Short mmCIF file of all heavy atoms in Angstrom, two decimals:
data_model
loop_
_atom_site.label_atom_id
_atom_site.label_comp_id
_atom_site.label_asym_id
_atom_site.label_seq_id
_atom_site.Cartn_x
_atom_site.Cartn_y
_atom_site.Cartn_z
N GLY A 59 -1.76 16.77 10.53
CA GLY A 59 -0.84 15.67 10.79
C GLY A 59 -1.51 14.32 10.75
O GLY A 59 -2.72 14.20 10.60
N PRO A 60 -0.71 13.26 10.89
CA PRO A 60 -1.24 11.90 10.83
C PRO A 60 -1.99 11.56 12.11
O PRO A 60 -1.96 12.30 13.10
CB PRO A 60 0.01 11.04 10.68
CG PRO A 60 1.09 11.85 11.31
CD PRO A 60 0.73 13.29 11.06
N PHE A 61 -2.67 10.42 12.09
CA PHE A 61 -3.39 9.92 13.25
C PHE A 61 -2.48 9.99 14.47
O PHE A 61 -1.35 9.52 14.45
CB PHE A 61 -3.83 8.48 12.97
CG PHE A 61 -4.72 7.88 14.00
CD1 PHE A 61 -5.96 8.41 14.26
CD2 PHE A 61 -4.30 6.77 14.71
CE1 PHE A 61 -6.80 7.85 15.22
CE2 PHE A 61 -5.13 6.19 15.66
CZ PHE A 61 -6.38 6.73 15.92
N ALA A 62 -2.93 10.61 15.54
CA ALA A 62 -2.09 10.96 16.70
C ALA A 62 -1.36 9.77 17.33
O ALA A 62 -0.23 9.90 17.75
CB ALA A 62 -2.93 11.67 17.76
N GLU A 63 -2.01 8.62 17.41
CA GLU A 63 -1.38 7.47 18.08
C GLU A 63 -0.47 6.67 17.15
O GLU A 63 0.07 5.66 17.53
CB GLU A 63 -2.45 6.54 18.67
CG GLU A 63 -3.13 7.10 19.91
CD GLU A 63 -4.25 8.10 19.61
OE1 GLU A 63 -4.75 8.09 18.47
OE2 GLU A 63 -4.57 8.89 20.49
N THR A 64 -0.30 7.13 15.93
CA THR A 64 0.50 6.40 14.95
C THR A 64 1.98 6.50 15.29
O THR A 64 2.51 7.59 15.47
CB THR A 64 0.26 6.97 13.54
OG1 THR A 64 -1.12 6.85 13.25
CG2 THR A 64 1.07 6.24 12.51
N LYS A 65 2.64 5.36 15.40
CA LYS A 65 4.07 5.33 15.64
C LYS A 65 4.83 5.38 14.31
O LYS A 65 5.89 5.96 14.21
CB LYS A 65 4.46 4.07 16.40
CG LYS A 65 3.91 4.02 17.80
CD LYS A 65 4.30 2.74 18.49
CE LYS A 65 3.64 2.62 19.84
NZ LYS A 65 3.85 1.34 20.46
N GLU A 66 4.28 4.72 13.32
CA GLU A 66 4.89 4.70 12.00
C GLU A 66 3.87 5.21 11.00
O GLU A 66 2.67 5.06 11.19
CB GLU A 66 5.30 3.27 11.63
CG GLU A 66 6.37 2.70 12.54
CD GLU A 66 6.75 1.29 12.14
OE1 GLU A 66 5.85 0.47 11.90
OE2 GLU A 66 7.95 1.01 12.08
N VAL A 67 4.35 5.81 9.94
CA VAL A 67 3.46 6.32 8.91
C VAL A 67 3.71 5.57 7.61
O VAL A 67 4.81 5.05 7.37
CB VAL A 67 3.65 7.83 8.69
CG1 VAL A 67 3.24 8.61 9.92
CG2 VAL A 67 5.06 8.15 8.29
N ILE A 68 2.71 5.50 6.79
CA ILE A 68 2.81 4.81 5.51
C ILE A 68 3.32 5.79 4.46
O ILE A 68 2.78 6.88 4.30
CB ILE A 68 1.44 4.23 5.10
CG1 ILE A 68 0.99 3.20 6.14
CG2 ILE A 68 1.51 3.62 3.71
CD1 ILE A 68 -0.42 2.70 5.94
N ALA A 69 4.37 5.40 3.76
CA ALA A 69 4.94 6.24 2.71
C ALA A 69 4.31 5.93 1.36
O ALA A 69 4.32 6.76 0.46
CB ALA A 69 6.45 6.03 2.62
N GLY A 70 3.78 4.74 1.22
CA GLY A 70 3.17 4.34 -0.04
C GLY A 70 2.47 3.02 0.12
O GLY A 70 2.59 2.34 1.13
N LEU A 71 1.69 2.69 -0.90
CA LEU A 71 0.98 1.42 -0.87
C LEU A 71 0.83 0.89 -2.29
O LEU A 71 0.87 1.65 -3.25
CB LEU A 71 -0.39 1.57 -0.21
CG LEU A 71 -1.34 2.55 -0.87
CD1 LEU A 71 -2.45 1.78 -1.56
CD2 LEU A 71 -1.91 3.47 0.17
N GLY A 72 0.72 -0.39 -2.37
CA GLY A 72 0.53 -1.03 -3.66
C GLY A 72 -0.37 -2.23 -3.52
O GLY A 72 -0.59 -2.74 -2.42
N ILE A 73 -0.90 -2.65 -4.63
CA ILE A 73 -1.68 -3.89 -4.70
C ILE A 73 -0.96 -4.79 -5.68
O ILE A 73 -0.68 -4.40 -6.81
CB ILE A 73 -3.12 -3.63 -5.18
CG1 ILE A 73 -3.84 -2.61 -4.29
CG2 ILE A 73 -3.90 -4.96 -5.26
CD1 ILE A 73 -4.05 -3.04 -2.87
N ILE A 74 -0.64 -5.99 -5.21
CA ILE A 74 0.02 -6.98 -6.07
C ILE A 74 -0.87 -8.20 -6.19
O ILE A 74 -1.79 -8.40 -5.38
CB ILE A 74 1.40 -7.40 -5.53
CG1 ILE A 74 1.27 -8.07 -4.15
CG2 ILE A 74 2.36 -6.22 -5.50
CD1 ILE A 74 2.52 -8.81 -3.71
N GLU A 75 -0.59 -9.01 -7.19
CA GLU A 75 -1.23 -10.32 -7.31
C GLU A 75 -0.16 -11.37 -7.17
O GLU A 75 0.93 -11.26 -7.75
CB GLU A 75 -1.93 -10.46 -8.66
CG GLU A 75 -3.16 -9.60 -8.77
CD GLU A 75 -3.91 -9.78 -10.06
OE1 GLU A 75 -3.29 -10.09 -11.09
OE2 GLU A 75 -5.13 -9.57 -10.03
N ALA A 76 -0.46 -12.38 -6.36
CA ALA A 76 0.49 -13.48 -6.14
C ALA A 76 -0.32 -14.75 -5.90
O ALA A 76 -1.46 -14.69 -5.44
CB ALA A 76 1.37 -13.17 -4.93
N PRO A 77 0.27 -15.89 -6.19
CA PRO A 77 -0.47 -17.15 -6.02
C PRO A 77 -0.76 -17.49 -4.56
O PRO A 77 -1.73 -18.19 -4.28
CB PRO A 77 0.42 -18.20 -6.68
CG PRO A 77 1.76 -17.56 -6.82
CD PRO A 77 1.56 -16.08 -6.83
N ASP A 78 0.07 -17.00 -3.64
CA ASP A 78 -0.16 -17.31 -2.23
C ASP A 78 0.64 -16.33 -1.37
O ASP A 78 1.41 -15.51 -1.89
CB ASP A 78 0.23 -18.77 -1.90
CG ASP A 78 1.66 -19.12 -2.30
OD1 ASP A 78 2.56 -18.26 -2.15
OD2 ASP A 78 1.88 -20.25 -2.75
N LEU A 79 0.46 -16.43 -0.05
CA LEU A 79 1.13 -15.51 0.87
C LEU A 79 2.64 -15.62 0.77
O LEU A 79 3.35 -14.60 0.81
CB LEU A 79 0.66 -15.74 2.31
CG LEU A 79 1.30 -14.85 3.36
CD1 LEU A 79 1.03 -13.37 3.08
CD2 LEU A 79 0.80 -15.22 4.75
N ASP A 80 3.17 -16.82 0.64
CA ASP A 80 4.63 -16.96 0.55
C ASP A 80 5.19 -16.20 -0.65
O ASP A 80 6.22 -15.54 -0.55
CB ASP A 80 5.03 -18.43 0.47
CG ASP A 80 4.85 -19.17 1.78
OD1 ASP A 80 4.82 -18.50 2.84
OD2 ASP A 80 4.75 -20.40 1.75
N ALA A 81 4.50 -16.27 -1.78
CA ALA A 81 4.94 -15.54 -2.97
C ALA A 81 4.83 -14.03 -2.75
O ALA A 81 5.70 -13.27 -3.16
CB ALA A 81 4.14 -15.97 -4.19
N ALA A 82 3.75 -13.59 -2.09
CA ALA A 82 3.57 -12.17 -1.79
C ALA A 82 4.68 -11.68 -0.85
O ALA A 82 5.23 -10.58 -1.03
CB ALA A 82 2.20 -11.91 -1.17
N LEU A 83 5.03 -12.50 0.13
CA LEU A 83 6.11 -12.12 1.05
C LEU A 83 7.46 -12.05 0.35
O LEU A 83 8.29 -11.18 0.66
CB LEU A 83 6.16 -13.09 2.23
CG LEU A 83 4.97 -13.04 3.18
CD1 LEU A 83 5.04 -14.18 4.19
CD2 LEU A 83 4.88 -11.69 3.88
N ALA A 84 7.67 -12.93 -0.61
CA ALA A 84 8.91 -12.89 -1.39
C ALA A 84 9.00 -11.59 -2.20
O ALA A 84 10.07 -10.97 -2.30
CB ALA A 84 9.01 -14.10 -2.31
N ILE A 85 7.87 -11.15 -2.75
CA ILE A 85 7.83 -9.89 -3.48
C ILE A 85 8.10 -8.74 -2.50
O ILE A 85 8.89 -7.84 -2.78
CB ILE A 85 6.49 -9.72 -4.20
CG1 ILE A 85 6.38 -10.72 -5.35
CG2 ILE A 85 6.31 -8.29 -4.70
CD1 ILE A 85 5.00 -10.82 -5.97
N ALA A 86 7.44 -8.77 -1.36
CA ALA A 86 7.60 -7.70 -0.36
C ALA A 86 9.04 -7.62 0.13
O ALA A 86 9.55 -6.52 0.37
CB ALA A 86 6.66 -7.93 0.81
N ALA A 87 9.70 -8.74 0.26
CA ALA A 87 11.09 -8.76 0.75
C ALA A 87 12.05 -8.07 -0.22
O ALA A 87 13.13 -7.64 0.18
CB ALA A 87 11.53 -10.20 1.01
N ARG A 88 11.64 -7.93 -1.48
CA ARG A 88 12.49 -7.26 -2.47
C ARG A 88 12.25 -5.75 -2.49
O ARG A 88 12.92 -5.03 -3.23
CB ARG A 88 12.24 -7.85 -3.86
CG ARG A 88 12.67 -9.31 -3.98
CD ARG A 88 12.69 -9.80 -5.41
NE ARG A 88 11.44 -9.66 -6.13
CZ ARG A 88 10.53 -10.62 -6.28
NH1 ARG A 88 10.72 -11.80 -5.73
NH2 ARG A 88 9.45 -10.40 -6.99
N ASN A 89 11.32 -5.27 -1.67
CA ASN A 89 11.06 -3.83 -1.63
C ASN A 89 12.24 -3.13 -0.95
O ASN A 89 12.66 -3.53 0.13
CB ASN A 89 9.76 -3.55 -0.87
CG ASN A 89 9.35 -2.11 -0.99
OD1 ASN A 89 10.02 -1.22 -0.48
ND2 ASN A 89 8.25 -1.87 -1.67
N PRO A 90 12.77 -2.06 -1.55
CA PRO A 90 13.92 -1.38 -0.98
C PRO A 90 13.72 -0.88 0.46
O PRO A 90 14.70 -0.76 1.20
CB PRO A 90 14.15 -0.20 -1.93
CG PRO A 90 13.59 -0.66 -3.23
CD PRO A 90 12.40 -1.52 -2.86
N ALA A 91 12.49 -0.62 0.86
CA ALA A 91 12.26 -0.16 2.24
C ALA A 91 12.80 -1.17 3.25
O ALA A 91 13.23 -0.79 4.33
CB ALA A 91 10.77 0.07 2.49
N THR A 92 12.82 -2.45 2.87
CA THR A 92 13.26 -3.49 3.82
C THR A 92 14.75 -3.41 4.13
O THR A 92 15.17 -3.94 5.15
CB THR A 92 12.90 -4.90 3.31
OG1 THR A 92 13.61 -5.17 2.09
CG2 THR A 92 11.40 -5.05 3.08
N TRP A 93 15.54 -2.78 3.28
CA TRP A 93 16.97 -2.60 3.61
C TRP A 93 17.35 -1.13 3.77
O TRP A 93 18.50 -0.81 4.05
CB TRP A 93 17.89 -3.28 2.59
CG TRP A 93 17.82 -2.78 1.19
CD1 TRP A 93 18.43 -1.66 0.68
CD2 TRP A 93 17.12 -3.36 0.10
NE1 TRP A 93 18.13 -1.50 -0.65
CE2 TRP A 93 17.33 -2.55 -1.04
CE3 TRP A 93 16.32 -4.49 -0.04
CZ2 TRP A 93 16.78 -2.83 -2.28
CZ3 TRP A 93 15.78 -4.77 -1.28
CH2 TRP A 93 16.01 -3.94 -2.38
N GLN A 94 16.36 -0.23 3.64
CA GLN A 94 16.64 1.19 3.83
C GLN A 94 16.18 1.67 5.21
O GLN A 94 16.00 2.85 5.43
CB GLN A 94 15.92 2.01 2.74
CG GLN A 94 16.50 1.80 1.35
CD GLN A 94 15.69 2.53 0.29
OE1 GLN A 94 14.62 3.06 0.53
NE2 GLN A 94 16.23 2.55 -0.92
N GLY A 95 15.99 0.73 6.13
CA GLY A 95 15.61 1.10 7.49
C GLY A 95 14.12 1.12 7.75
O GLY A 95 13.68 1.41 8.85
N GLY A 96 13.33 0.81 6.74
CA GLY A 96 11.88 0.80 6.88
C GLY A 96 11.34 -0.61 6.98
O GLY A 96 12.05 -1.54 7.37
N ALA A 97 10.10 -0.77 6.59
CA ALA A 97 9.45 -2.08 6.66
C ALA A 97 8.35 -2.14 5.61
O ALA A 97 7.92 -1.12 5.08
CB ALA A 97 8.86 -2.30 8.04
N VAL A 98 7.89 -3.35 5.33
CA VAL A 98 6.79 -3.57 4.41
C VAL A 98 5.81 -4.51 5.07
O VAL A 98 6.19 -5.57 5.56
CB VAL A 98 7.30 -4.16 3.07
CG1 VAL A 98 6.14 -4.48 2.14
CG2 VAL A 98 8.28 -3.21 2.40
N GLU A 99 4.56 -4.11 5.10
CA GLU A 99 3.48 -4.93 5.66
C GLU A 99 2.70 -5.54 4.50
O GLU A 99 2.42 -4.86 3.51
CB GLU A 99 2.58 -4.04 6.51
CG GLU A 99 1.42 -4.74 7.16
CD GLU A 99 0.59 -3.79 8.02
OE1 GLU A 99 1.10 -2.74 8.45
OE2 GLU A 99 -0.59 -4.12 8.24
N VAL A 100 2.32 -6.80 4.64
CA VAL A 100 1.57 -7.50 3.59
C VAL A 100 0.23 -7.95 4.17
O VAL A 100 0.21 -8.57 5.23
CB VAL A 100 2.35 -8.73 3.08
CG1 VAL A 100 1.56 -9.48 2.03
CG2 VAL A 100 3.72 -8.31 2.55
N ARG A 101 -0.85 -7.63 3.48
CA ARG A 101 -2.19 -8.06 3.91
C ARG A 101 -2.99 -8.52 2.71
O ARG A 101 -3.04 -7.83 1.69
CB ARG A 101 -2.96 -6.90 4.55
CG ARG A 101 -2.47 -6.46 5.87
CD ARG A 101 -3.53 -5.61 6.51
NE ARG A 101 -2.94 -4.65 7.42
CZ ARG A 101 -3.62 -3.69 8.01
NH1 ARG A 101 -4.90 -3.55 7.77
NH2 ARG A 101 -3.03 -2.88 8.84
N PRO A 102 -3.67 -9.67 2.83
CA PRO A 102 -4.57 -10.08 1.75
C PRO A 102 -5.70 -9.06 1.59
O PRO A 102 -6.18 -8.49 2.56
CB PRO A 102 -5.13 -11.42 2.23
CG PRO A 102 -4.14 -11.90 3.24
CD PRO A 102 -3.58 -10.67 3.89
N VAL A 103 -6.08 -8.82 0.35
CA VAL A 103 -7.21 -7.93 0.05
C VAL A 103 -8.47 -8.80 0.02
O VAL A 103 -8.50 -9.83 -0.66
CB VAL A 103 -7.00 -7.23 -1.31
CG1 VAL A 103 -8.22 -6.43 -1.71
CG2 VAL A 103 -5.76 -6.35 -1.27
N VAL A 104 -9.49 -8.40 0.76
CA VAL A 104 -10.72 -9.19 0.82
C VAL A 104 -11.87 -8.57 0.04
O VAL A 104 -12.94 -9.15 -0.05
CB VAL A 104 -11.16 -9.44 2.28
CG1 VAL A 104 -10.14 -10.30 3.00
CG2 VAL A 104 -11.42 -8.14 3.02
N GLY A 105 -11.66 -7.41 -0.51
CA GLY A 105 -12.67 -6.77 -1.33
C GLY A 105 -12.19 -5.40 -1.75
O GLY A 105 -11.22 -4.89 -1.19
N GLY A 106 -12.83 -4.85 -2.72
CA GLY A 106 -12.41 -3.52 -3.16
C GLY A 106 -13.26 -3.03 -4.30
O GLY A 106 -14.14 -3.72 -4.80
N TRP A 107 -12.98 -1.83 -4.70
CA TRP A 107 -13.69 -1.20 -5.79
C TRP A 107 -12.77 -0.19 -6.44
O TRP A 107 -12.00 0.49 -5.77
CB TRP A 107 -14.94 -0.49 -5.24
CG TRP A 107 -15.68 0.29 -6.26
CD1 TRP A 107 -16.61 -0.19 -7.13
CD2 TRP A 107 -15.55 1.68 -6.56
NE1 TRP A 107 -17.08 0.81 -7.93
CE2 TRP A 107 -16.44 1.99 -7.59
CE3 TRP A 107 -14.77 2.71 -6.03
CZ2 TRP A 107 -16.58 3.25 -8.12
CZ3 TRP A 107 -14.90 3.98 -6.56
CH2 TRP A 107 -15.81 4.24 -7.59
N VAL A 108 -12.84 -0.09 -7.74
CA VAL A 108 -12.11 0.90 -8.50
C VAL A 108 -13.12 1.60 -9.40
O VAL A 108 -13.94 0.93 -10.04
CB VAL A 108 -11.00 0.26 -9.36
CG1 VAL A 108 -10.32 1.29 -10.25
CG2 VAL A 108 -9.99 -0.44 -8.48
N ARG A 109 -13.09 2.91 -9.42
CA ARG A 109 -14.02 3.67 -10.25
C ARG A 109 -14.01 3.11 -11.66
O ARG A 109 -12.97 2.84 -12.23
CB ARG A 109 -13.63 5.14 -10.26
CG ARG A 109 -14.60 6.00 -11.04
CD ARG A 109 -14.28 7.46 -10.95
NE ARG A 109 -12.88 7.72 -11.31
CZ ARG A 109 -12.20 8.76 -10.86
NH1 ARG A 109 -12.74 9.63 -10.04
NH2 ARG A 109 -10.95 8.93 -11.22
N GLY A 110 -15.18 2.88 -12.20
CA GLY A 110 -15.29 2.32 -13.54
C GLY A 110 -15.49 0.82 -13.55
O GLY A 110 -15.75 0.25 -14.60
N ASP A 111 -15.37 0.16 -12.38
CA ASP A 111 -15.60 -1.28 -12.31
C ASP A 111 -17.03 -1.61 -12.68
O ASP A 111 -17.96 -0.88 -12.36
CB ASP A 111 -15.36 -1.81 -10.89
CG ASP A 111 -13.93 -2.25 -10.64
OD1 ASP A 111 -13.13 -2.22 -11.58
OD2 ASP A 111 -13.63 -2.62 -9.50
N VAL A 112 -17.21 -2.75 -13.33
CA VAL A 112 -18.55 -3.25 -13.60
C VAL A 112 -19.22 -3.50 -12.25
O VAL A 112 -18.60 -3.99 -11.32
CB VAL A 112 -18.48 -4.58 -14.40
CG1 VAL A 112 -19.85 -5.19 -14.56
CG2 VAL A 112 -17.82 -4.33 -15.74
N GLY A 113 -20.47 -3.12 -12.11
CA GLY A 113 -21.17 -3.29 -10.84
C GLY A 113 -21.27 -1.98 -10.09
O GLY A 113 -22.09 -1.85 -9.20
#
Side-chain angles (χ1 to χ4, degrees):
F61 187 63
E63 286 82 20
T64 301
K65 294 179 186 172
E66 296 180 314
V67 295
I68 298 172
L71 60 108
I73 303 296
I74 62 166
E75 289 183 330
D78 55 37
L79 179 59
D80 288 338
L83 292 172
I85 291 169
R88 294 192 304 263
N89 189 293
T92 64
W93 63 80
Q94 292 175 351
V98 176
E99 180 178 338
V100 178
R101 289 195 208 173
V103 174
V104 295
W107 175 85
V108 175
R109 183 175 52 206
D111 270 356
V112 174

